[in-house]
Amino acid sequence: MTPIRTRFAPSPTGFLHVGNIRTGLFAWLLARHYNGQFILRLEDTDKKREVSGSDQHLLDCLKVIGVEWDEGFDIGGPLGPYRQSDRLDIYKKWAQKIIESGRAYADPYTPEEVETFREQARQEKCAFLYRNHRPENPPVWDGTTPLRFKSEPKGYSWHDEVMGDLATGPEVIDDFILIKSDGYPTYNFAHIVDDAEMQITHIIRGQEFIASVPNYLNLYEALSLTPPIMATMPHILGTSGNKKLSKRDGAKDVLDYIRDGFLPDALVNFIASLGWNDGTEQELFTREELIEKFSLERVGRGGARFDEQRLIWMNGHYIRELSPDELFKKASDFWPEAAKDTSDEKKRQILSLAHDRLKTLADLPQLTSFFFIEPTPDWNLVATNKQLKKIERTELQALLKTAHDKLAATEFDEASLTAALNELLQATQQKPAVLFGIIRLGLTWAPFSPGLAETMAVLGKEVTLRRLENAATTIVN
RNA sequence: GGCCCCUUCGUCUAGUGGUCCAGGAUAUCUGGUUCUCAUCCAGAAGACCGCGGGUUCGAAUCCCGCAGGGGUCACCA
């Protein structure tokens, strides 16, 4: 059995959002699953829509999530070039072959004339078919006009690895453009040539192409090519409505998610589980498990909504699975500004307290800022606390003072601090919710924070005592 | 409008004729974990399986119709 070869063939027309990258991810998973090859091809035949720099951006997005290709437009390979704009001669050669076999002809109409035909079809509320206007004696193609495929209308039935058995009638077959008047091939032509030359065995693409497949089948026949196996992915839907995810619904690219503190592994797991599962109740998959278990047959046919909540949950899970060292490395760009002079050792201590609490790495500042800067007392936090708001301010003040004095005589390691807190509880006869509540606020002035003893241990004796004293003196206001 | 595809808890999904008065996860809510938040644990609520007909002793699962949604009908991919 020949090894399978899949490809991801994006266009450099902007950014690669998470919906689009899934197609690439699945193609990659399939290739790896069967120990085949994964090829990265750049489909840059539309000069008008090209956005400069987006080819590099594509590479960055794929690299950051750990998708690696065996041949590609950046690294080359035996069947290149892999950038379509570098393959113009190849398309010309194939075009010549079709012309010679009588299956292509020069399009003599101006775009305006074609638009008139199209408008007419619209008025009659029927599908536009260029072949109804096929010229009887087209001029010899000189490369300045579009070259059209001369189709042979007929019905097709074919198998799609995801969608199952599909069939259409001859009414969908039309004469489409192979080479545009600017000399560049259309996607419709170029991808067929490229997939053949690059020996692609499986085409994985979005459902916007499904309606064109019969036309491709017609062209494969004209070219005497065996079509690759096809797999059509349903769209990923935006957070609202039923349209496919787009930039307009706030779709972000992979790099945006990394910047927002998401982990590549979480992203990969999440994107893979949109529309795919292994048939068990497993939700979390390592990269190796995905490769091992992935199959096209288990890709769902319906569109899946991109639910960021689920991604956040998954990301929290992957963060918790990180070792302290790994987390420290990954978190390096996410520390609050005020942390820049803090030692790595201190940061590691702080990070260990925040570890379980992080949903994304970007949560780090709000979880830890009081370790780096003096928090501003916010008595609203007391006024809205359901235990503390019932207590007289003077009593809270007394508690803070008692705590201060007790802690002044305590070693600042976690065990001693825990013991001291317990003794305070005894001595004051207060509920933990009150005593610990006011101490916690006096120390952090944050709506939430790590456990008390750990927090004090990291803050250190000097800072802890100063903050408690400060809280006690400002409380009268 | 033609053609094609899709349709199970809010969301991601399991489910290929009986073990499904539909399971898991997430999100939500409640309780527990000496304080908050998070984790973890326990529990609750949440889907008349898009609707209507069949077939069958029996259907989320098979068939037919309908509806809704989506895609496509480019010198874009």
Side-chain angles (χ1 to χ4, degrees):
Chain A
M1 192 177 131
T2 52
I4 80 155
R5 289 169 61 82
T6 67
R7 45 73 163 176
F8 183 48
S11 297
T13 52
F15 78 155
L16 184 63
H17 70 62
V18 292
N20 296 141
I21 208 166
R22 183 180 64 155
T23 310
L25 179 67
F26 282 4
W28 174 74
L29 286 173
L30 189 72
R32 290 291 173 266
H33 177 82
Y34 287 108
N35 277 309
Q37 284 113 40
F38 177 62
I39 288 91
L40 181 63
R41 183 170 74 218
L42 193 70
E43 310 225 314
D44 60 340
T45 57
D46 186 349
K47 293 178 302 180
K48 292 186 291 293
R49 292 206 312 157
E50 189 160 336
V51 174
S52 82
S54 50
D55 50 351
Q56 184 58 44
H57 182 259
L58 291 167
L59 298 172
D60 293 342
C61 283
L62 291 168
K63 276 179 188 160
V64 81
I65 61 165
V67 167
E68 294 162 326
W69 45 100
D70 304 296
E71 299 160 33
F73 66 86
D74 60 330
I75 54 172
L79 299 172
Y82 298 88
R83 186 184 286 263
Q84 287 184 329
S85 58
D86 292 338
R87 300 173 59 80
L88 265 25
D89 290 346
I90 296 169
Y91 306 122
K92 292 259 160 60
K93 198 184 74 199
W94 284 73
Q96 205 52 47
K97 255 170 62 181
I98 315 185
I99 293 169
E100 280 160 20
S101 68
R103 293 298 303 275
Y105 60 92
D107 179 345
Y109 301 115
T110 63
E112 292 72 28
E113 286 170 320
V114 178
E115 187 49 39
T116 308
F117 299 149
R118 209 191 315 279
E119 185 51 40
Q120 195 182 328
R122 256 195 293 269
Q123 303 258 315
E124 291 164 11
K125 289 201 179 291
C126 58
F128 169 66
L129 282 176
Y130 183 94
R131 64 177 156 85
N132 291 339
H133 307 276
R134 191 187 281 169
E136 296 223 353
N137 291 302
V140 172
W141 186 58
D142 62 1
T144 64
T145 62
L147 181 70
R148 289 224 178 229
F149 175 53
K150 189 176 181 182
S151 62
E152 283 181 354
K154 55 191 276 197
Y156 281 100
S157 60
W158 72 99
H159 183 75
D160 185 287
E161 291 291 304
V162 171
M163 293 300 173
D165 293 322
L166 306 174
T168 52
E171 68 281 355
V172 303
I173 303 294
D174 197 16
D175 293 2
F176 57 91
I177 289 175
L178 301 171
I179 308 269
K180 298 179 274 186
S181 60
D182 64 2
Y184 281 81
T186 57
Y187 164 84
N188 301 140
F189 181 49
H191 90 275
I192 286 179
V193 168
D194 292 343
D195 287 341
E197 293 225 342
M198 296 175 189
Q199 298 169 22
I200 301 301
T201 58
H202 294 66
I203 297 179
I204 295 164
R205 74 213 330 170
Q207 72 174 48
E208 63 271 28
F209 293 104
I210 206 164
S212 305
V213 168
N215 278 305
Y216 302 152
L217 260 15
N218 209 249
L219 180 56
Y220 281 116
E221 274 178 17
L223 257 19
S224 303
L225 292 171
T226 306
I229 293 164
M230 303 198 192
T232 299
M233 311 302 306
H235 283 144
I236 290 181
L237 277 25
T239 35
S240 61
N242 284 320
K243 300 276 190 190
K244 76 168 176 176
L245 186 69
S246 69
K247 196 170 184 174
R248 211 181 165 305
D249 321 284
K252 297 188 267 190
D253 66 46
V254 182
L255 263 19
D256 289 328
Y257 279 101
I258 299 296
R259 252 177 253 121
D260 288 348
F262 289 89
L263 264 28
D265 283 342
L267 247 11
V268 166
N269 193 155
F270 176 71
I271 293 169
S273 63
L274 282 178
W276 175 86
N277 72 83
D278 72 341
T280 71
E281 286 178 351
Q282 187 169 350
E283 311 275 343
L284 299 161
F285 298 89
T286 64
R287 211 168 278 262
E288 292 68 33
E289 284 174 321
L290 286 175
I291 290 170
E292 184 200 325
K293 294 168 193 277
F294 184 76
S295 81
L296 289 173
E297 288 122 57
R298 293 217 53 88
V299 175
R301 299 181 184 182
R305 194 172 301 276
F306 188 92
D307 179 12
E308 220 173 78
Q309 291 286 15
R310 205 174 152 77
L311 172 60
I312 288 170
W313 159 69
M314 218 172 248
N315 200 56
H317 166 83
Y318 277 94
I319 286 179
R320 269 172 258 126
E321 292 231 309
L322 255 25
S323 71
D325 271 351
E326 287 170 327
L327 178 63
F328 183 71
K329 270 187 225 132
K330 288 179 188 294
S332 64
D333 291 339
F334 292 90
W335 289 102
E337 179 63 23
K340 65 178 191 298
D341 296 326
T342 306
S343 71
D344 280 2
E345 193 198 337
K346 193 82 169 176
K347 279 184 183 168
R348 282 175 192 274
Q349 286 179 345
I350 293 168
L351 199 53
S352 75
L353 303 189
H355 197 152
D356 276 3
R357 280 160 247 259
L358 293 170
K359 299 272 198 198
T360 72
L361 299 174
D363 292 340
L364 197 54
Q366 69 162 142
L367 241 29
T368 63
S369 59
F370 53 82
F371 284 109
F372 306 107
I373 51 167
E374 284 304 309
T376 311
D378 175 4
W379 290 94
N380 250 330
L381 291 168
V382 174
T384 54
N385 181 293
K386 67 174 184 275
Q387 291 288 341
L388 298 180
K389 69 180 173 191
K390 295 185 294 194
I391 314 286
E392 287 293 326
R393 289 283 162 98
T394 50
E395 192 175 340
L396 292 176
Q397 187 177 37
L399 286 173
L400 285 166
K401 282 179 173 161
T402 311
H404 174 276
D405 296 345
K406 172 76 185 169
L407 293 168
T410 304
E411 288 298 313
F412 263 56
D413 60 82
E414 232 180 278
S416 310
L417 285 165
T418 304
L421 286 172
N422 281 330
E423 286 162 30
L424 270 172
L425 222 40
Q426 289 285 320
T428 58
Q429 289 295 301
Q430 258 303 352
K431 284 189 280 194
V434 173
L435 178 67
F436 296 164
I438 190 62
I439 297 176
R440 192 190 72 79
L441 283 175
L443 254 24
T444 65
W445 295 107
F448 41 84
S449 59
L452 246 193
E454 307 98 281
T455 301
M456 290 192 292
V458 172
L459 281 174
K461 192 166 194 169
E462 190 199 327
V463 175
T464 299
L465 295 179
R466 188 174 67 233
R467 288 191 188 176
L468 288 176
E469 194 171 359
N470 192 255
T473 47
T474 57
I475 198 165
V476 284
N477 306 331

